[in-house]
Amino acid sequence: MIIRLWLWITGYLVVRFKGQDIETVLDLAARHGINFWGVERLTTDIVIGRIGVRQFRRLRPLLWNREVSAAIVDRRGLPFTFHKLSQRAFFILGMGIVCLIILYLSSFIWFIEVTGNEQLTTDEVLDFVVDQGLHVGLKRQDFSAKSLENKLLAQFEMLAWVGIRLQGTKVHIELVERSIYEPALSLVGNIVAERDGLITELFVLRGTPFVTEGDTVRQGEVLISGEYYDPWGRKQVGRAEGAVHARVWYESFAEGSLSRLETRRLGGHKRQLLIHIGPLTIPLGFGPPYKEYSTETLCWKLPINGSKPIIGVTKLDHYEVKYTEIPISSEEALQEALSKAWAYLDRTGVDLEQVRQYRIQEDPIEDGNGIRVHLYVEVEENIARFLPIP
Amino acid sequence: MGLGIREKIMRQIANTMELPPEVVMDYPRITVVGSTEALIENHKGLVQYTADCIKAKSLQGVIVVTGHNLHIQFFSSNEIKITGHLHHVEWV
């Protein structure tokens, strides 16, 4: 290994011997102090060997008057590599510039990684650290891990420990959250109405009922009190338990348009690329030259585990279109508005399977270009909510 | 015959002084590593080199190494390092 390394440093030649009785020539050369490496016989009259550069001059006289010829087929090693590189000055210059750029860029923070968070979201942590000055593109020397650790601990009470390490161009934020303990159940309290309603069923497991079936109650009104008398007639104050089913009402409204815009492509197409590097957005190409157009967007961002992406490309395809207004019948508009109204109730948490009855009220819209509907639904549900007494 | 007497004397000296015989008597020394490498020291010249057979002279005769895909990794006036798949090493 050492000999090979030395040969490579000093440079060596790959020599092809051709002729008869090559062994004698090799033997004679060895007697004259010429050493060979990597001797291979290719054919019956050709042998390849490697020798030092300076030794080749001493080999020539030994071949005189012999039926063996020697020719250099390759030059290898550091001196020859340097010679080749010296003829490509711009390549060397480019390599040097690239090295300098890499060296310069490595003095910035390019990645922020957050691990260990379960309740806190990564975005919450990243938003906070960005507010504190840690962002992609910050110089490494301007970054203080200790100060940020303390700020994170002060900001998020649920954190038990924060460790921030700077590894190359990446900041690794490791979080340990406190174990969450469920608050102890309050031993004393009443059951109150979650919302307005008409009571249909009442189940009391513990406590004194303040209402009966058929009563109308308001939100917050006490339904079952935590005060009660035990079988021995002693007054007790405890935790009220039970269920109170009631008919409650919900309302939503939505609108349906009496016309819709139909889009027809005319054939014109223009593509635009947006390059995102950190906070910078560089547009490539011009925007759409059309009066009316629709745009399809395709966004790609370099995924980096635990960090916000810093490099991305957005492809915008602008299509030239013509918008035409198509009238819609009042029945279709009504159905559209009703669908929206039901969807709203569903989103707000109303159990639509428990709807007992509903009522629709249609209202005109002032501009006459749509229909507005009010939807009133009646649902039977448990309105009991425990309210502890402090 | 003179060489025989000289050899006997040198062997006696080597035995008495506990010197390595390959140094005192110029014997060849062959080191074989597994079946892929052989080092011949104190040879007296290369006689034949093919991919299947390498012959080298020594004071005690011709050393023959047979095998296939044989290469001479290093060759100097007193060392031959052979690599490849070795089958036999013998004197003829």
Side-chain angles (χ1 to χ4, degrees), chain A residues 3-4 21 23-24 26-27 30-31 33-41 47, chain B residues 43-51 57 70-78:
Chain A
I3 293 173
R4 284 188 180 186
D21 203 14
E23 290 87 344
T24 309
L26 295 178
D27 202 37
R31 304 280 160 223
I34 301 171
N35 300 328
F36 294 88
W37 291 269
V39 180
E40 293 174 55
R41 181 172 282 280
V47 169
Chain B
H43 72 90
K44 297 300 173 190
L46 185 67
V47 178
Q48 185 191 344
Y49 168 44
T50 66
K57 284 187 285 187
L70 299 179
H71 295 282
I72 297 177
Q73 196 178 9
F74 179 70
F75 179 66
S76 69
S77 58
N78 61 354

Side-chain angles (χ1 to χ4, degrees), chain A residues 189-192 202-211 221-227 240-244 384:
Chain A
N190 303 320
I191 284 181
V192 299
L202 183 68
F203 303 99
V204 181
L205 297 174
R206 183 189 293 156
T208 308
F210 275 26
V211 291
E221 193 176 327
V222 176
L223 304 176
I224 303 172
S225 169
E227 293 182 358
E241 287 181 12
V244 181

Side-chain angles (χ1 to χ4, degrees), chain A residues 91-382:
Chain A
F91 175 73
I92 301 296
L93 188 67
M95 289 286 285
I97 291 172
V98 167
C99 288
L100 285 175
I101 289 173
I102 290 173
L103 198 66
Y104 176 70
L105 290 178
S106 64
S107 64
F108 294 93
I109 290 166
W110 291 109
F111 306 100
I112 303 171
E113 188 181 66
V114 181
T115 57
N117 52 320
E118 291 176 358
Q119 298 163 59
L120 271 176
T121 64
T122 301
D123 282 342
E124 275 180 291
V125 179
L126 287 177
D127 288 344
F128 178 73
V129 297
V130 166
D131 288 343
Q132 298 305 315
L134 170 61
H135 55 82
V136 170
L138 180 71
K139 276 205 147 194
R140 283 161 48 99
Q141 62 191 28
D142 296 340
F143 168 66
S144 164
K146 200 70 196 167
S147 157
L148 191 57
E149 282 173 3
N150 293 335
K151 286 176 181 170
L152 275 166
L153 284 170
Q155 173 69 17
F156 300 106
E157 288 181 355
M158 66 180 66
L159 292 179
W161 179 82
V162 177
I164 300 179
R165 295 196 311 274
L166 183 58
Q167 298 171 317
T169 59
K170 183 168 84 172
V171 173
H172 183 209
I173 302 174
E174 194 176 350
L175 307 174
V176 177
E177 295 175 349
R178 291 181 199 279
S179 300
I180 300 298
Y181 296 100
E182 290 292 333
L185 286 173
S186 177
L187 297 175
V188 179
N190 303 320
I191 284 181
V192 299
E194 178 80 36
R195 62 184 74 251
D196 299 351
L198 177 66
I199 295 172
T200 55
E201 280 181 303
L202 183 68
F203 303 99
V204 181
L205 297 174
R206 183 189 293 156
T208 308
F210 275 26
V211 291
T212 58
E213 291 170 0
D215 285 356
T216 303
V217 294
R218 308 287 298 177
Q219 185 181 16
E221 193 176 327
V222 176
L223 304 176
I224 303 172
S225 169
E227 293 182 358
Y228 61 96
Y229 290 90
D230 64 14
W232 296 274
R234 290 174 300 189
K235 186 180 180 183
Q236 303 285 346
V237 180
R239 178 186 173 86
E241 287 181 12
V244 181
H245 288 266
R247 286 157 60 186
V248 295
W249 295 269
Y250 293 93
E251 176 188 359
S252 76
F253 72 92
E255 294 178 355
S257 176
L258 286 168
S259 65
R260 72 167 189 272
L261 284 179
E262 189 182 74
T263 308
R264 188 163 57 90
R265 288 188 181 175
L266 300 178
H269 175 231
K270 186 88 179 170
R271 177 169 289 175
Q272 189 181 21
L273 292 176
L274 303 176
I275 310 291
H276 309 285
I277 304 171
L280 291 177
T281 298
I282 304 163
L284 298 180
F286 296 101
Y290 315 117
K291 188 179 174 186
E292 291 181 323
Y293 61 91
S294 68
T295 303
E296 287 180 4
T297 304
L298 185 66
C299 191
W300 176 86
K301 288 187 175 175
L302 182 67
I304 298 166
N305 189 24
S307 298
K308 284 189 174 178
I310 56 169
I311 296 174
V313 178
T314 303
K315 187 174 77 171
L316 303 173
D317 282 308
H318 305 293
Y319 295 96
E320 184 182 13
V321 297
K322 182 169 178 60
Y323 292 109
T324 312
E325 195 171 338
I326 307 290
I328 294 176
S329 68
S330 56
E331 287 79 12
E332 279 183 86
L334 179 65
Q335 286 305 317
E336 184 192 349
L338 273 175
S339 299
K340 288 180 185 172
W342 282 111
Y344 174 79
L345 288 177
D346 196 21
R347 281 200 305 277
T348 51
V350 177
D351 186 0
L352 298 183
E353 289 184 359
Q354 299 299 323
V355 173
R356 293 301 172 92
Q357 53 184 336
Y358 63 91
R359 183 167 61 86
I360 299 166
Q361 181 183 326
E362 220 174 297
D363 294 327
I365 298 179
E366 288 146 4
D367 61 8
N369 196 27
I371 294 173
R372 178 181 295 155
V373 292
H374 280 261
L375 178 62
Y376 302 96
V377 296
E378 184 186 303
V379 180
E380 186 168 324
E381 63 184 23
N382 184 9

